[in-house]
């Protein structure tokens, strides 16, 4: 079992909402790309500020009494950030705003934007350095999507084409390779992306295929739903909102949406894609009354935010209430639990494993806490089903999943997965503008089609420049 509560070491901390507010102010800053700025953006070691943090101090609600509450601080921070944009806090000759936009530290004079003079023509005669190089990208594409390198003849053929025809060839090859077993089949590229979201455990694998010694749930259903939502112009958001399940056939692999599956007990009204699959509930809720682990896993897996790393903190005033007497109101814990607990409340009626009622497993049980967990604390039954995601009120898990799926965080996390798989690392500051353009088009123009997004990704310099 994972620890039920998250508490931070040490007592003097940076303001927990700072990263979230910073990123709402500068959503396309590299420091906010698939993550949030770390404490040392503003601090030497919290609470001691670096020169950038110190410069902000006088602009933070100057007339309000100290110390500022988290709420007052979060309200005042955007104004303070704006007030010092044109200053050069660390005296390295580059303004704070430019450093924020270029992804260097405004509080560290040794960190300055590199003017990449690295790309001189003729440096690497085999490739078109600094520009997208079709030959290079084509080679990479066949390896990444089909799992085989191009033949010499294929490369020669590509080289003979015009630039436009080269791109058209790459588009066609992308569409061909994403039908390959290497891309969509069992343990293929898509399944690899799903591993950290599903967290399979062989011992607990149910179902005929690869059955474990202590079968709990058939998580191949979860892989099937994930893969289906990533393929064939389907809507990627449905990995967390689907009301359907997905059946997988093999030789060749085919995924088909179906209204029910014998292995999946959740009633349609309470389904939220893989978040409420049998495996997710049994494994992430497990025996807990307050399913914090299920909420934080969904937050990390689909929205890219890890509360244990102080990412995605949106403290809700008056929280945490500690309905289950887990001790989360201690200052070092409250910093995370003011976000995590309201994120968890909508899961209050989702049952994990309960030895007293086997038929309730992985089901939505109205009054679950009242029925099974009233012994945990005198106030646990007061736990509301309404909670908060990104500071927004959500009445149940289905709403939680919808708000999450429509957020920028979802699009950023989804594209970051593919960026890491294909480019080989999370977006760097130099790649940030291409990365931001890619996730914004994924969300807008492409309507959450991974297939269409991938056609953009293979055209980026990050992918195609050697
Ligand atoms: Ca500077
Ligand atoms: Ca600097």
């Amino acid at each position: 079992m994972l620890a039920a509560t998250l508490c931070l070491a040490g007592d003097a901390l940076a303001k927990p909402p700072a990263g979230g507010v910073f990123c709402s102010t500068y959503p396309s800053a590299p420091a906010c790309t698939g993550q949030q700025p770390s404490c040392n953006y503003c601090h030497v070691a919290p609470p001691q500020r670096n020169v950038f943090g110190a410069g902000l101090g006088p602009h933070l609600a100057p007339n309000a009494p100290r110390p500022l509450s988290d709420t007052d601080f979060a309200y005042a921070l955007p104004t303070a950030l704006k007030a010092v944009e044109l200053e050069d806090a660390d005296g390295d000759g580059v303004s704070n705003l430019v450093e924020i936009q270029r992804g260097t530290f405004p509080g560290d004079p040794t960190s300055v934007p590199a003017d990449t003079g690295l790309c001189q023509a003729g440096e690497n005669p085999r490739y078109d350095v600094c520009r997208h190089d079709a030959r290079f990208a084509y080679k990479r594409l066949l390896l990444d999507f089909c799992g085989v390198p191009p033949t010499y003849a294929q490369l020669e053929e590509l080289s003979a084409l015009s630039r436009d025809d080269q791109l058209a060839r790459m588009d066609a090859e992308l569409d061909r390779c994403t039908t390959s077993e290497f891309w969509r089949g069992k343990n293929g590229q898509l399944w690899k992306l799903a591993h950290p979201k599903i967290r399979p455990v062989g011992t607990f694998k149910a179902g005929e295929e690869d059955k474990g010694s202590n079968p709990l749930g058939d998580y191949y259903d979860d892989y099937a739903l994930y893969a289906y939502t990533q393929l064939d112009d389907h809507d990627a958001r449905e990995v967390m909102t689907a009301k359907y399940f997905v059946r997988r056939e093999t030789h060749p692999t085919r995924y088909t949406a179906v209204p029910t599956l014998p292995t999946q007990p959740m009633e349609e009204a309470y389904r939220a894609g893989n978040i409420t699959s049998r495996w997710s509930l049994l494994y992430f809720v497990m025996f807990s009354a307050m399913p914090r682990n299920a909420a934080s896993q969904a937050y990390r897996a689909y929205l890219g935010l890890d509360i244990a790393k102080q990412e995605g903190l949106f403290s809700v005033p008056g929280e945490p209430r500690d309905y289950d007497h887990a001790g989360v109101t201690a200052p070092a814990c409250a910093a995370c639990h003011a976000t995590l607990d309201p994120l968890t409340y909508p899961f209050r009626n989702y049952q994990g494993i309960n030895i007293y009622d086997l038929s309730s497993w992985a089901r939505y049980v109205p009054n679950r806490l009242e029925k099974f967990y009233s012994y945990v604390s005198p106030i646990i039954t007061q736990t509301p089903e309404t909670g908060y995601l990104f500071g927004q009120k959500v009445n149940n898990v289905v709403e939680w999943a919808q708000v999450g799926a429509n957020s920028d965080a979802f699009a950023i996390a989804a594209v970051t997965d593919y960026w890491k798989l294909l480019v080989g690392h999370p977006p760097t500051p130099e790649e940030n503008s291409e990365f931001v353009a890619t996730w914004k088009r994924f969300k807008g123009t492409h309507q959450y089609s991974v297939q269409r997004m991938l056609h953009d990704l293979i055209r980026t310099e990050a992918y195609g420049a050697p």
Side-chain angles (χ1 to χ4, degrees):
M1 277 293 287
L2 293 159
T5 57
L6 283 170
C7 302
L8 305 162
D11 45 8
L13 295 158
K15 286 289 193 190
V21 175
F22 178 90
C23 290
S24 320
T25 312
Y26 303 108
S28 50
C32 298
T33 287
Q35 57 175 356
Q36 287 198 350
S38 62
C39 304
N40 63 12
Y41 209 87
C42 294
H43 297 269
V44 178
Q48 201 193 345
R49 297 187 182 117
N50 64 26
V51 284
F52 176 64
L56 285 170
H59 298 282
L60 280 164
N63 301 318
R66 296 320 202 229
L68 292 175
S69 71
D70 282 1
T71 313
D72 291 345
F73 171 80
Y75 185 76
L77 184 56
T79 315
L81 286 165
K82 296 276 176 204
V84 300
E85 280 181 349
L86 299 180
E87 292 175 14
D88 175 12
D90 56 7
D92 59 6
V94 186
S95 72
N96 296 338
L97 179 62
V98 170
E99 296 216 49
I100 290 168
Q101 289 167 336
R102 297 287 303 275
T104 58
F105 286 109
D108 176 0
T110 66
S111 164
V112 286
D115 278 313
T116 42
L118 301 170
C119 292
Q120 272 118 33
E123 202 174 85
N124 185 342
R126 289 190 52 220
Y127 290 113
D128 207 354
V129 180
C130 282
R131 292 213 314 270
H132 190 274
D133 180 284
R135 217 176 135 92
F136 176 82
Y138 179 67
K139 215 167 173 174
R140 201 169 185 182
L141 185 155
L142 284 194
L143 280 168
D144 288 341
F145 293 88
C146 268
V148 286
T151 62
Y152 181 76
Q154 278 176 313
L155 270 177
E156 289 306 292
E157 205 185 310
L158 183 89
S159 300
L161 299 173
S162 72
R163 175 74 185 157
D164 283 353
D165 289 346
Q166 286 178 334
L167 286 173
R169 171 66 57 89
M170 286 177 52
D171 283 333
E173 292 286 69
L174 172 64
D175 288 336
R176 178 177 69 86
C177 289
T178 49
T179 66
S180 69
E181 290 299 308
F182 179 79
W183 184 256
R184 64 170 68 191
K186 181 181 179 181
N187 294 322
Q189 296 284 71
L190 288 181
W191 283 46
K192 273 189 212 159
L193 292 179
H195 289 335
K197 307 180 196 309
I198 295 169
R199 310 240 316 254
V201 181
T203 322
F204 299 140
K205 169 76 179 61
E208 288 308 302
E209 195 179 350
D210 306 321
K211 190 176 195 164
S213 56
N214 194 359
L216 282 181
D218 189 350
Y219 46 71
Y220 286 176
D221 292 348
D222 302 56
Y223 284 95
L225 177 62
Y226 177 78
Y228 177 89
T229 61
Q230 310 296 298
L231 288 166
D232 306 327
D233 285 340
H234 295 145
D235 186 328
R237 290 173 298 181
E238 291 174 359
V239 69
M240 59 187 297
T241 61
K243 295 290 185 191
Y244 55 83
F245 301 111
V246 173
R247 199 182 56 226
R248 176 173 65 104
E249 292 156 283
T250 50
H251 311 293
T253 299
R254 246 201 305 264
Y255 300 103
T256 316
V258 291
T260 57
L261 270 186
T263 43
Q264 295 295 332
M266 186 58 68
E267 295 89 334
E268 187 180 337
Y270 305 110
R271 284 180 206 155
N274 274 348
I275 295 175
T276 61
S277 71
R278 179 178 167 91
W279 171 252
S280 289
L281 294 176
L282 297 191
Y283 190 59
F284 298 124
V285 175
M286 219 176 254
F287 306 102
S288 60
M290 193 71 81
R292 292 190 180 90
N293 198 30
S296 63
Q297 169 64 16
Y299 203 46
R300 181 171 46 234
Y302 302 110
L303 305 175
L305 299 165
D306 191 341
I307 293 179
K309 293 184 189 153
Q310 296 195 60
E311 294 168 351
L313 296 183
F314 291 81
S315 303
V316 176
E319 295 288 350
R321 295 280 303 277
D322 204 10
Y323 293 107
D324 59 338
H325 285 194
V328 294
T329 50
C333 313
C336 293
H337 284 269
T339 299
L340 176 55
D341 286 20
L343 202 63
T344 303
Y345 300 151
F347 291 80
R348 84 187 290 288
N349 288 335
Y350 285 82
Q351 184 80 303
I353 299 174
N354 192 296
I355 53 165
Y356 298 106
D357 184 356
L358 274 67
S359 69
S360 71
W361 290 25
R363 307 292 288 252
Y364 181 92
V365 181
N367 299 317
R368 168 178 169 270
L369 295 177
E370 292 78 354
K371 254 180 165 154
F372 294 102
Y373 296 98
S374 57
Y375 66 88
V376 170
S377 93
I379 59 165
I380 194 164
T381 56
Q382 294 171 27
T383 309
E385 189 167 16
T386 295
Y388 287 85
L389 173 62
F390 302 140
Q392 186 177 333
K393 202 173 187 178
V394 288
N395 289 312
N396 48 54
V397 166
V398 172
E399 282 185 26
W400 191 114
Q402 277 159 356
V403 170
N406 291 326
S407 68
D408 286 352
F410 175 84
I412 290 169
V415 176
T416 300
D417 277 349
Y418 288 95
W419 201 276
K420 283 166 39 185
L421 178 74
L422 300 167
V423 178
H425 50 250
T428 63
E430 292 73 34
E431 294 162 357
N432 190 58
S433 60
E434 281 189 317
F435 174 76
V436 171
T438 306
W439 74 254
K440 289 203 161 161
R441 273 166 61 82
F442 173 60
K443 197 177 165 172
T445 318
H446 296 327
Q447 288 293 292
Y448 298 96
S449 158
V450 166
Q451 192 74 15
R452 281 177 252 159
M453 180 275 290
L454 291 172
H455 286 280
D456 278 357
L457 206 157
I458 61 168
R459 285 170 159 74
T460 61
E461 283 198 13
Y463 189 69

